Amino acid sequence: MPKGSSSLVSKTVGKKPPKIKKQTKYLFVTGGVLSGVGKGITAASLGALFKARGLKVTIQKCDQYLNVDAGTLNPAEHGECFVTNDGAETDLDLGHYERFLDVELTGKSSLMTGRVMKKVIDKERAGGYLGKTVQVVPHVVDAIIEEIEECGRGSDVHIVEVGGTVGDIEGLHFIEAIRELELRVGRGNYTHIHVVYIPFLGTSKELKTKPAQHAVLELRRIGLLPDMIGARTEVDAPMKVIDKLSLFTGVSPEGIVLLPNADTVYRVPLTLEQSGIAEYALSKLNIKTKTPELSPWKNLVKKATQGFDKTVKIGIVAKYLDNEDTYFSVIEALKSAARTNNTNLQFTWVDAENVNVNNSSDLLKSYDGILVPGGFGKRGIEGKIAAAQYALKSKKPYLGLCLGLQVAVIGAVRTTGLNDANSTEFEPKTSDPVVYIMEAQRGKEGTGGSMRLGGYECVIKPSSLSQRVYGANKIIERHRHRYEVNQAYKSQIEEAGLLISGLSPDGTLVEMIEGKDHPYFLATQAHPEFLSRPMRPHPLFYGFIKASLKT
Ligand code: GLN
């Protein structure tokens, strides 16, 4: 008997066998040829299909940027900054994930290179590597694997999307993390789809698979063999594209799905399901499930594409107009609210810089409703104030989101004779700071640290329009702002025809205002657009469209 074995036996005999932890299975989603061709929607759609089969799904986006989070990224360049309930400032893909999966994600689902690097460097500074040379492999890659495992813990399938395209220098650490994670969990516990772009040559009327072939070669060079390919095309592709891709990449034809442009993004889950790719992915993960319940998706697609007899016209007074992605969730929330009200939506961007008190009526009267979304900085602010004043006075439905509440308050108070009323964000020395920075945040204006971020409770005034619209007395909404309404101006706010209809539970923060004797003038300090879902519009948006239809 080998030395020590008797004591081993005596220690284990009679004890319960150790609990085997559930193995989370992984679906990796990478991209080739080009970025921006719908990897995020593919990842989210597969997640939705898994969820419709009763599986517990989590999802995470790895972003290559050296930023620690998306909070400091310019929205005009990068699109919307999506805020999670726990206050993380993330990439707009998390918005797709939440909408498709109908879940509330946390900051763990957004992993930027900067966050990983910071963690590794902080550990190095604290002596956590015990004198070792700190390197990308293994230390950075291990830190990524840790974050991925942590985010996926407890789920049946964890979907990990890597931003950018494979082969980018700046994304290699994520690809290496996938390679090592695959080795660690073993066959049957992971699968991988590579989403590639197949260009169409107009002159020869041909879809060219060559760039996609090279994109798969690039993956193989790094040590990864995808099980599946998502082939994005801008025209319908013939089946022979699948055969050709299969021949040149070694991926089975069953693992290749054609993804032509869709009339609505919500069709993608149905296209994927029809192709059999979700079942194929699950077979790679050794998961057997029931048939998915897809009637909600079918109904959604029907509503999103059918066209209605009525059309509601909404003017969005905004300033980041070069990139519509900046307001992605706002538009999605409007679309969802319009569908549910059985109306077509026609929205028009109104450049806030062109609006002023003299022309606001001419520029805005043709719209059924006016929306002022969130924003930062002085540019365009007077136009937004004028738009809010016009909506209040002319009894035009108005929805103000975050900055949209602040401009409504400034505009209203100005009508009481306080002509210089302003926010200290735009006029630091204003004589009437009706929107200001609170004591605790003073001096930190330029930093990320001073923002009110994530879910906050709001107590709604009984019998107010806000209460009727929400159908609740207490709600939680997500925030992302620094400035707050100054309650020293409460009497002027009310004199101007507004009602403070929502407050933080301790009464210190104004969360909602509404117009008195107005069909629908509602504004919130929060960003309700983040909680709207394609099949369940947010009540504030639903009410806004409903009221706009009546004008
Ligand atoms: N700039 C305003 C603030 O920081 C509003 C921000 C927003 O609209 N998200 O308070």
Side-chain angles (χ1 to χ4, degrees), residues 113-147:
T113 295
R115 182 149 75 78
V116 182
M117 293 299 186
K118 187 168 181 302
K119 196 170 156 185
V120 171
I121 291 169
D122 286 349
K123 185 169 167 186
E124 186 273 337
R125 290 290 82 189
Y129 291 105
L130 305 172
K132 287 237 158 53
T133 316
V134 181
Q135 294 176 291
V136 172
V137 181
H139 303 104
V140 172
V141 168
D142 281 352
I144 294 170
I145 293 176
E146 233 171 67
E147 292 276 344

PDB file of all heavy atoms in Angstrom, residues 113-147:
ATOM      1  N   THR A 113     -10.763  46.265 -22.822  1.00  0.00           N
ATOM      2  CA  THR A 113      -9.348  46.018 -22.570  1.00  0.00           C
ATOM      3  C   THR A 113      -8.839  46.881 -21.419  1.00  0.00           C
ATOM      4  O   THR A 113      -8.103  46.403 -20.554  1.00  0.00           O
ATOM      5  CB  THR A 113      -8.541  46.310 -23.847  1.00  0.00           C
ATOM      6  OG1 THR A 113      -8.942  45.365 -24.839  1.00  0.00           O
ATOM      7  CG2 THR A 113      -7.053  46.166 -23.608  1.00  0.00           C
ATOM      8  N   GLY A 114      -9.257  48.145 -21.401  1.00  0.00           N
ATOM      9  CA  GLY A 114      -8.779  49.047 -20.352  1.00  0.00           C
ATOM     10  C   GLY A 114      -9.082  48.515 -18.960  1.00  0.00           C
ATOM     11  O   GLY A 114      -8.259  48.632 -18.045  1.00  0.00           O
ATOM     12  N   ARG A 115     -10.245  47.905 -18.795  1.00  0.00           N
ATOM     13  CA  ARG A 115     -10.627  47.387 -17.472  1.00  0.00           C
ATOM     14  C   ARG A 115      -9.721  46.219 -17.072  1.00  0.00           C
ATOM     15  O   ARG A 115      -9.294  46.105 -15.925  1.00  0.00           O
ATOM     16  CB  ARG A 115     -12.103  46.957 -17.476  1.00  0.00           C
ATOM     17  CG  ARG A 115     -12.582  46.468 -16.126  1.00  0.00           C
ATOM     18  CD  ARG A 115     -14.052  46.765 -15.906  1.00  0.00           C
ATOM     19  NE  ARG A 115     -14.957  45.899 -16.658  1.00  0.00           N
ATOM     20  CZ  ARG A 115     -15.256  44.661 -16.296  1.00  0.00           C
ATOM     21  NH1 ARG A 115     -14.706  44.130 -15.220  1.00  0.00           N
ATOM     22  NH2 ARG A 115     -16.100  43.954 -17.014  1.00  0.00           N
ATOM     23  N   VAL A 116      -9.424  45.362 -18.070  1.00  0.00           N
ATOM     24  CA  VAL A 116      -8.568  44.207 -17.771  1.00  0.00           C
ATOM     25  C   VAL A 116      -7.157  44.695 -17.441  1.00  0.00           C
ATOM     26  O   VAL A 116      -6.545  44.264 -16.457  1.00  0.00           O
ATOM     27  CB  VAL A 116      -8.483  43.266 -18.993  1.00  0.00           C
ATOM     28  CG1 VAL A 116      -7.634  42.055 -18.664  1.00  0.00           C
ATOM     29  CG2 VAL A 116      -9.859  42.847 -19.453  1.00  0.00           C
ATOM     30  N   MET A 117      -6.647  45.599 -18.283  1.00  0.00           N
ATOM     31  CA  MET A 117      -5.284  46.091 -18.086  1.00  0.00           C
ATOM     32  C   MET A 117      -5.162  46.775 -16.720  1.00  0.00           C
ATOM     33  O   MET A 117      -4.176  46.609 -16.013  1.00  0.00           O
ATOM     34  CB  MET A 117      -4.912  47.090 -19.187  1.00  0.00           C
ATOM     35  CG  MET A 117      -4.802  46.476 -20.563  1.00  0.00           C
ATOM     36  SD  MET A 117      -3.520  45.186 -20.630  1.00  0.00           S
ATOM     37  CE  MET A 117      -3.530  44.803 -22.367  1.00  0.00           C
ATOM     38  N   LYS A 118      -6.181  47.534 -16.364  1.00  0.00           N
ATOM     39  CA  LYS A 118      -6.150  48.262 -15.098  1.00  0.00           C
ATOM     40  C   LYS A 118      -6.067  47.270 -13.936  1.00  0.00           C
ATOM     41  O   LYS A 118      -5.295  47.444 -13.002  1.00  0.00           O
ATOM     42  CB  LYS A 118      -7.399  49.137 -14.985  1.00  0.00           C
ATOM     43  CG  LYS A 118      -7.371  50.056 -13.801  1.00  0.00           C
ATOM     44  CD  LYS A 118      -8.466  51.086 -13.891  1.00  0.00           C
ATOM     45  CE  LYS A 118      -8.411  52.036 -12.709  1.00  0.00           C
ATOM     46  NZ  LYS A 118      -8.512  51.386 -11.414  1.00  0.00           N
ATOM     47  N   LYS A 119      -6.857  46.202 -14.079  1.00  0.00           N
ATOM     48  CA  LYS A 119      -6.867  45.195 -13.022  1.00  0.00           C
ATOM     49  C   LYS A 119      -5.466  44.566 -12.865  1.00  0.00           C
ATOM     50  O   LYS A 119      -4.961  44.403 -11.759  1.00  0.00           O
ATOM     51  CB  LYS A 119      -7.892  44.121 -13.405  1.00  0.00           C
ATOM     52  CG  LYS A 119      -8.310  43.208 -12.305  1.00  0.00           C
ATOM     53  CD  LYS A 119      -9.487  42.373 -12.773  1.00  0.00           C
ATOM     54  CE  LYS A 119      -9.571  41.084 -11.998  1.00  0.00           C
ATOM     55  NZ  LYS A 119     -10.607  40.191 -12.477  1.00  0.00           N
ATOM     56  N   VAL A 120      -4.870  44.243 -14.024  1.00  0.00           N
ATOM     57  CA  VAL A 120      -3.550  43.599 -13.996  1.00  0.00           C
ATOM     58  C   VAL A 120      -2.510  44.573 -13.441  1.00  0.00           C
ATOM     59  O   VAL A 120      -1.698  44.214 -12.575  1.00  0.00           O
ATOM     60  CB  VAL A 120      -3.164  43.129 -15.425  1.00  0.00           C
ATOM     61  CG1 VAL A 120      -1.713  42.659 -15.474  1.00  0.00           C
ATOM     62  CG2 VAL A 120      -4.106  42.011 -15.884  1.00  0.00           C
ATOM     63  N   ILE A 121      -2.559  45.815 -13.892  1.00  0.00           N
ATOM     64  CA  ILE A 121      -1.555  46.788 -13.435  1.00  0.00           C
ATOM     65  C   ILE A 121      -1.748  47.103 -11.952  1.00  0.00           C
ATOM     66  O   ILE A 121      -0.775  47.166 -11.194  1.00  0.00           O
ATOM     67  CB  ILE A 121      -1.598  48.062 -14.315  1.00  0.00           C
ATOM     68  CG1 ILE A 121      -1.081  47.706 -15.718  1.00  0.00           C
ATOM     69  CG2 ILE A 121      -0.758  49.183 -13.716  1.00  0.00           C
ATOM     70  CD1 ILE A 121      -1.290  48.755 -16.777  1.00  0.00           C
ATOM     71  N   ASP A 122      -2.993  47.234 -11.519  1.00  0.00           N
ATOM     72  CA  ASP A 122      -3.232  47.481 -10.090  1.00  0.00           C
ATOM     73  C   ASP A 122      -2.674  46.328  -9.251  1.00  0.00           C
ATOM     74  O   ASP A 122      -2.082  46.535  -8.202  1.00  0.00           O
ATOM     75  CB  ASP A 122      -4.743  47.624  -9.801  1.00  0.00           C
ATOM     76  CG  ASP A 122      -5.291  48.951 -10.296  1.00  0.00           C
ATOM     77  OD1 ASP A 122      -4.488  49.833 -10.664  1.00  0.00           O
ATOM     78  OD2 ASP A 122      -6.537  49.106 -10.345  1.00  0.00           O
ATOM     79  N   LYS A 123      -2.864  45.114  -9.757  1.00  0.00           N
ATOM     80  CA  LYS A 123      -2.363  43.940  -9.010  1.00  0.00           C
ATOM     81  C   LYS A 123      -0.828  43.958  -8.979  1.00  0.00           C
ATOM     82  O   LYS A 123      -0.216  43.670  -7.948  1.00  0.00           O
ATOM     83  CB  LYS A 123      -2.886  42.660  -9.694  1.00  0.00           C
ATOM     84  CG  LYS A 123      -2.531  41.388  -8.957  1.00  0.00           C
ATOM     85  CD  LYS A 123      -3.291  40.197  -9.520  1.00  0.00           C
ATOM     86  CE  LYS A 123      -2.697  38.892  -8.982  1.00  0.00           C
ATOM     87  NZ  LYS A 123      -3.289  37.700  -9.578  1.00  0.00           N
ATOM     88  N   GLU A 124      -0.241  44.338 -10.114  1.00  0.00           N
ATOM     89  CA  GLU A 124       1.228  44.401 -10.172  1.00  0.00           C
ATOM     90  C   GLU A 124       1.758  45.426  -9.186  1.00  0.00           C
ATOM     91  O   GLU A 124       2.698  45.172  -8.444  1.00  0.00           O
ATOM     92  CB  GLU A 124       1.648  44.748 -11.615  1.00  0.00           C
ATOM     93  CG  GLU A 124       3.151  44.713 -11.869  1.00  0.00           C
ATOM     94  CD  GLU A 124       3.865  46.011 -11.548  1.00  0.00           C
ATOM     95  OE1 GLU A 124       3.222  47.083 -11.536  1.00  0.00           O
ATOM     96  OE2 GLU A 124       5.072  45.963 -11.266  1.00  0.00           O
ATOM     97  N   ARG A 125       1.091  46.603  -9.143  1.00  0.00           N
ATOM     98  CA  ARG A 125       1.533  47.667  -8.236  1.00  0.00           C
ATOM     99  C   ARG A 125       1.394  47.235  -6.774  1.00  0.00           C
ATOM    100  O   ARG A 125       2.157  47.635  -5.911  1.00  0.00           O
ATOM    101  CB  ARG A 125       0.721  48.954  -8.454  1.00  0.00           C
ATOM    102  CG  ARG A 125       0.987  49.669  -9.761  1.00  0.00           C
ATOM    103  CD  ARG A 125       2.341  50.326  -9.842  1.00  0.00           C
ATOM    104  NE  ARG A 125       3.409  49.427 -10.204  1.00  0.00           N
ATOM    105  CZ  ARG A 125       4.708  49.754 -10.175  1.00  0.00           C
ATOM    106  NH1 ARG A 125       5.096  50.935  -9.779  1.00  0.00           N
ATOM    107  NH2 ARG A 125       5.620  48.886 -10.533  1.00  0.00           N
ATOM    108  N   ALA A 126       0.400  46.402  -6.521  1.00  0.00           N
ATOM    109  CA  ALA A 126       0.177  45.951  -5.138  1.00  0.00           C
ATOM    110  C   ALA A 126       1.058  44.747  -4.801  1.00  0.00           C
ATOM    111  O   ALA A 126       0.918  44.144  -3.747  1.00  0.00           O
ATOM    112  CB  ALA A 126      -1.291  45.611  -4.960  1.00  0.00           C
ATOM    113  N   GLY A 127       1.945  44.396  -5.716  1.00  0.00           N
ATOM    114  CA  GLY A 127       2.844  43.266  -5.453  1.00  0.00           C
ATOM    115  C   GLY A 127       2.173  41.915  -5.604  1.00  0.00           C
ATOM    116  O   GLY A 127       2.690  40.894  -5.149  1.00  0.00           O
ATOM    117  N   GLY A 128       1.044  41.886  -6.264  1.00  0.00           N
ATOM    118  CA  GLY A 128       0.271  40.643  -6.363  1.00  0.00           C
ATOM    119  C   GLY A 128       0.891  39.581  -7.249  1.00  0.00           C
ATOM    120  O   GLY A 128       0.458  38.422  -7.214  1.00  0.00           O
ATOM    121  N   TYR A 129       1.870  39.944  -8.045  1.00  0.00           N
ATOM    122  CA  TYR A 129       2.487  38.923  -8.912  1.00  0.00           C
ATOM    123  C   TYR A 129       3.798  38.390  -8.328  1.00  0.00           C
ATOM    124  O   TYR A 129       4.550  37.699  -9.013  1.00  0.00           O
ATOM    125  CB  TYR A 129       2.686  39.477 -10.327  1.00  0.00           C
ATOM    126  CG  TYR A 129       1.368  39.684 -11.062  1.00  0.00           C
ATOM    127  CD1 TYR A 129       0.849  40.959 -11.246  1.00  0.00           C
ATOM    128  CD2 TYR A 129       0.638  38.596 -11.533  1.00  0.00           C
ATOM    129  CE1 TYR A 129      -0.364  41.153 -11.896  1.00  0.00           C
ATOM    130  CE2 TYR A 129      -0.573  38.781 -12.187  1.00  0.00           C
ATOM    131  CZ  TYR A 129      -1.065  40.063 -12.366  1.00  0.00           C
ATOM    132  OH  TYR A 129      -2.274  40.228 -13.005  1.00  0.00           O
ATOM    133  N   LEU A 130       4.071  38.764  -7.094  1.00  0.00           N
ATOM    134  CA  LEU A 130       5.203  38.218  -6.340  1.00  0.00           C
ATOM    135  C   LEU A 130       6.520  38.259  -7.129  1.00  0.00           C
ATOM    136  O   LEU A 130       7.226  37.248  -7.237  1.00  0.00           O
ATOM    137  CB  LEU A 130       4.902  36.769  -5.908  1.00  0.00           C
ATOM    138  CG  LEU A 130       3.605  36.579  -5.125  1.00  0.00           C
ATOM    139  CD1 LEU A 130       3.323  35.102  -4.917  1.00  0.00           C
ATOM    140  CD2 LEU A 130       3.657  37.298  -3.776  1.00  0.00           C
ATOM    141  N   GLY A 131       6.803  39.368  -7.720  1.00  0.00           N
ATOM    142  CA  GLY A 131       8.090  39.539  -8.388  1.00  0.00           C
ATOM    143  C   GLY A 131       8.188  38.972  -9.789  1.00  0.00           C
ATOM    144  O   GLY A 131       9.220  39.056 -10.437  1.00  0.00           O
ATOM    145  N   LYS A 132       7.105  38.377 -10.268  1.00  0.00           N
ATOM    146  CA  LYS A 132       7.127  37.784 -11.626  1.00  0.00           C
ATOM    147  C   LYS A 132       7.133  38.881 -12.695  1.00  0.00           C
ATOM    148  O   LYS A 132       6.667  39.994 -12.458  1.00  0.00           O
ATOM    149  CB  LYS A 132       5.870  36.939 -11.832  1.00  0.00           C
ATOM    150  CG  LYS A 132       5.868  35.646 -11.072  1.00  0.00           C
ATOM    151  CD  LYS A 132       5.677  34.476 -12.038  1.00  0.00           C
ATOM    152  CE  LYS A 132       6.174  33.171 -11.490  1.00  0.00           C
ATOM    153  NZ  LYS A 132       5.650  32.827 -10.180  1.00  0.00           N
ATOM    154  N   THR A 133       7.623  38.522 -13.907  1.00  0.00           N
ATOM    155  CA  THR A 133       7.509  39.425 -15.039  1.00  0.00           C
ATOM    156  C   THR A 133       6.050  39.363 -15.480  1.00  0.00           C
ATOM    157  O   THR A 133       5.536  38.282 -15.758  1.00  0.00           O
ATOM    158  CB  THR A 133       8.372  38.913 -16.211  1.00  0.00           C
ATOM    159  OG1 THR A 133       9.613  38.503 -15.675  1.00  0.00           O
ATOM    160  CG2 THR A 133       8.544  39.955 -17.276  1.00  0.00           C
ATOM    161  N   VAL A 134       5.394  40.484 -15.545  1.00  0.00           N
ATOM    162  CA  VAL A 134       3.963  40.468 -15.900  1.00  0.00           C
ATOM    163  C   VAL A 134       3.826  40.585 -17.422  1.00  0.00           C
ATOM    164  O   VAL A 134       4.398  41.482 -18.044  1.00  0.00           O
ATOM    165  CB  VAL A 134       3.210  41.605 -15.179  1.00  0.00           C
ATOM    166  CG1 VAL A 134       1.723  41.562 -15.523  1.00  0.00           C
ATOM    167  CG2 VAL A 134       3.407  41.486 -13.671  1.00  0.00           C
ATOM    168  N   GLN A 135       3.115  39.635 -18.014  1.00  0.00           N
ATOM    169  CA  GLN A 135       3.039  39.557 -19.473  1.00  0.00           C
ATOM    170  C   GLN A 135       1.596  39.392 -19.961  1.00  0.00           C
ATOM    171  O   GLN A 135       0.714  39.006 -19.193  1.00  0.00           O
ATOM    172  CB  GLN A 135       3.853  38.347 -19.938  1.00  0.00           C
ATOM    173  CG  GLN A 135       5.341  38.525 -19.651  1.00  0.00           C
ATOM    174  CD  GLN A 135       6.125  37.292 -20.024  1.00  0.00           C
ATOM    175  OE1 GLN A 135       5.996  36.254 -19.383  1.00  0.00           O
ATOM    176  NE2 GLN A 135       6.932  37.403 -21.060  1.00  0.00           N
ATOM    177  N   VAL A 136       1.431  39.662 -21.270  1.00  0.00           N
ATOM    178  CA  VAL A 136       0.087  39.493 -21.849  1.00  0.00           C
ATOM    179  C   VAL A 136      -0.332  38.034 -21.677  1.00  0.00           C
ATOM    180  O   VAL A 136      -1.441  37.737 -21.230  1.00  0.00           O
ATOM    181  CB  VAL A 136       0.062  39.926 -23.334  1.00  0.00           C
ATOM    182  CG1 VAL A 136      -1.273  39.576 -23.976  1.00  0.00           C
ATOM    183  CG2 VAL A 136       0.313  41.425 -23.452  1.00  0.00           C
ATOM    184  N   VAL A 137       0.566  37.125 -22.080  1.00  0.00           N
ATOM    185  CA  VAL A 137       0.332  35.701 -21.802  1.00  0.00           C
ATOM    186  C   VAL A 137       1.336  35.306 -20.721  1.00  0.00           C
ATOM    187  O   VAL A 137       2.530  35.488 -20.934  1.00  0.00           O
ATOM    188  CB  VAL A 137       0.584  34.838 -23.058  1.00  0.00           C
ATOM    189  CG1 VAL A 137       0.300  33.371 -22.758  1.00  0.00           C
ATOM    190  CG2 VAL A 137      -0.238  35.328 -24.238  1.00  0.00           C
ATOM    191  N   PRO A 138       0.968  34.856 -19.580  1.00  0.00           N
ATOM    192  CA  PRO A 138      -0.372  34.432 -19.195  1.00  0.00           C
ATOM    193  C   PRO A 138      -1.220  35.488 -18.453  1.00  0.00           C
ATOM    194  O   PRO A 138      -2.413  35.277 -18.300  1.00  0.00           O
ATOM    195  CB  PRO A 138      -0.071  33.292 -18.218  1.00  0.00           C
ATOM    196  CG  PRO A 138       1.164  33.719 -17.515  1.00  0.00           C
ATOM    197  CD  PRO A 138       1.980  34.461 -18.552  1.00  0.00           C
ATOM    198  N   HIS A 139      -0.620  36.583 -17.967  1.00  0.00           N
ATOM    199  CA  HIS A 139      -1.340  37.345 -16.936  1.00  0.00           C
ATOM    200  C   HIS A 139      -2.589  38.067 -17.442  1.00  0.00           C
ATOM    201  O   HIS A 139      -3.652  37.980 -16.828  1.00  0.00           O
ATOM    202  CB  HIS A 139      -0.368  38.304 -16.240  1.00  0.00           C
ATOM    203  CG  HIS A 139       0.789  37.569 -15.641  1.00  0.00           C
ATOM    204  ND1 HIS A 139       2.040  37.574 -16.209  1.00  0.00           N
ATOM    205  CD2 HIS A 139       0.841  36.746 -14.567  1.00  0.00           C
ATOM    206  CE1 HIS A 139       2.850  36.792 -15.499  1.00  0.00           C
ATOM    207  NE2 HIS A 139       2.131  36.281 -14.494  1.00  0.00           N
ATOM    208  N   VAL A 140      -2.432  38.790 -18.574  1.00  0.00           N
ATOM    209  CA  VAL A 140      -3.612  39.514 -19.081  1.00  0.00           C
ATOM    210  C   VAL A 140      -4.675  38.509 -19.522  1.00  0.00           C
ATOM    211  O   VAL A 140      -5.868  38.649 -19.222  1.00  0.00           O
ATOM    212  CB  VAL A 140      -3.210  40.456 -20.243  1.00  0.00           C
ATOM    213  CG1 VAL A 140      -4.442  41.057 -20.909  1.00  0.00           C
ATOM    214  CG2 VAL A 140      -2.289  41.555 -19.724  1.00  0.00           C
ATOM    215  N   VAL A 141      -4.221  37.469 -20.225  1.00  0.00           N
ATOM    216  CA  VAL A 141      -5.165  36.460 -20.720  1.00  0.00           C
ATOM    217  C   VAL A 141      -5.873  35.756 -19.548  1.00  0.00           C
ATOM    218  O   VAL A 141      -7.089  35.544 -19.586  1.00  0.00           O
ATOM    219  CB  VAL A 141      -4.426  35.455 -21.647  1.00  0.00           C
ATOM    220  CG1 VAL A 141      -5.293  34.254 -21.947  1.00  0.00           C
ATOM    221  CG2 VAL A 141      -4.007  36.161 -22.926  1.00  0.00           C
ATOM    222  N   ASP A 142      -5.135  35.457 -18.500  1.00  0.00           N
ATOM    223  CA  ASP A 142      -5.766  34.841 -17.322  1.00  0.00           C
ATOM    224  C   ASP A 142      -6.814  35.760 -16.711  1.00  0.00           C
ATOM    225  O   ASP A 142      -7.880  35.307 -16.281  1.00  0.00           O
ATOM    226  CB  ASP A 142      -4.712  34.511 -16.246  1.00  0.00           C
ATOM    227  CG  ASP A 142      -3.959  33.230 -16.585  1.00  0.00           C
ATOM    228  OD1 ASP A 142      -4.367  32.550 -17.560  1.00  0.00           O
ATOM    229  OD2 ASP A 142      -2.974  32.924 -15.901  1.00  0.00           O
ATOM    230  N   ALA A 143      -6.481  37.054 -16.682  1.00  0.00           N
ATOM    231  CA  ALA A 143      -7.442  38.010 -16.108  1.00  0.00           C
ATOM    232  C   ALA A 143      -8.715  38.038 -16.955  1.00  0.00           C
ATOM    233  O   ALA A 143      -9.826  38.147 -16.422  1.00  0.00           O
ATOM    234  CB  ALA A 143      -6.818  39.402 -16.022  1.00  0.00           C
ATOM    235  N   ILE A 144      -8.568  37.924 -18.275  1.00  0.00           N
ATOM    236  CA  ILE A 144      -9.755  37.909 -19.157  1.00  0.00           C
ATOM    237  C   ILE A 144     -10.569  36.649 -18.887  1.00  0.00           C
ATOM    238  O   ILE A 144     -11.802  36.700 -18.731  1.00  0.00           O
ATOM    239  CB  ILE A 144      -9.334  37.960 -20.643  1.00  0.00           C
ATOM    240  CG1 ILE A 144      -8.675  39.300 -20.955  1.00  0.00           C
ATOM    241  CG2 ILE A 144     -10.527  37.715 -21.571  1.00  0.00           C
ATOM    242  CD1 ILE A 144      -8.013  39.373 -22.318  1.00  0.00           C
ATOM    243  N   ILE A 145      -9.871  35.511 -18.819  1.00  0.00           N
ATOM    244  CA  ILE A 145     -10.583  34.246 -18.584  1.00  0.00           C
ATOM    245  C   ILE A 145     -11.367  34.311 -17.269  1.00  0.00           C
ATOM    246  O   ILE A 145     -12.521  33.888 -17.191  1.00  0.00           O
ATOM    247  CB  ILE A 145      -9.596  33.047 -18.616  1.00  0.00           C
ATOM    248  CG1 ILE A 145      -9.051  32.891 -20.037  1.00  0.00           C
ATOM    249  CG2 ILE A 145     -10.253  31.763 -18.121  1.00  0.00           C
ATOM    250  CD1 ILE A 145      -8.010  31.819 -20.219  1.00  0.00           C
ATOM    251  N   GLU A 146     -10.731  34.876 -16.269  1.00  0.00           N
ATOM    252  CA  GLU A 146     -11.410  35.026 -14.970  1.00  0.00           C
ATOM    253  C   GLU A 146     -12.705  35.823 -15.113  1.00  0.00           C
ATOM    254  O   GLU A 146     -13.745  35.456 -14.577  1.00  0.00           O
ATOM    255  CB  GLU A 146     -10.489  35.840 -14.054  1.00  0.00           C
ATOM    256  CG  GLU A 146     -10.184  35.225 -12.721  1.00  0.00           C
ATOM    257  CD  GLU A 146      -9.083  36.050 -12.033  1.00  0.00           C
ATOM    258  OE1 GLU A 146      -9.355  37.206 -11.678  1.00  0.00           O
ATOM    259  OE2 GLU A 146      -7.959  35.527 -11.907  1.00  0.00           O
ATOM    260  N   GLU A 147     -12.619  36.931 -15.860  1.00  0.00           N
ATOM    261  CA  GLU A 147     -13.802  37.795 -16.048  1.00  0.00           C
ATOM    262  C   GLU A 147     -14.891  37.055 -16.830  1.00  0.00           C
ATOM    263  O   GLU A 147     -16.075  37.199 -16.546  1.00  0.00           O
ATOM    264  CB  GLU A 147     -13.425  39.071 -16.816  1.00  0.00           C
ATOM    265  CG  GLU A 147     -12.523  40.008 -16.058  1.00  0.00           C
ATOM    266  CD  GLU A 147     -13.284  40.940 -15.126  1.00  0.00           C
ATOM    267  OE1 GLU A 147     -14.500  41.074 -15.285  1.00  0.00           O
ATOM    268  OE2 GLU A 147     -12.634  41.511 -14.231  1.00  0.00           O
TER     269      GLU A 147
END
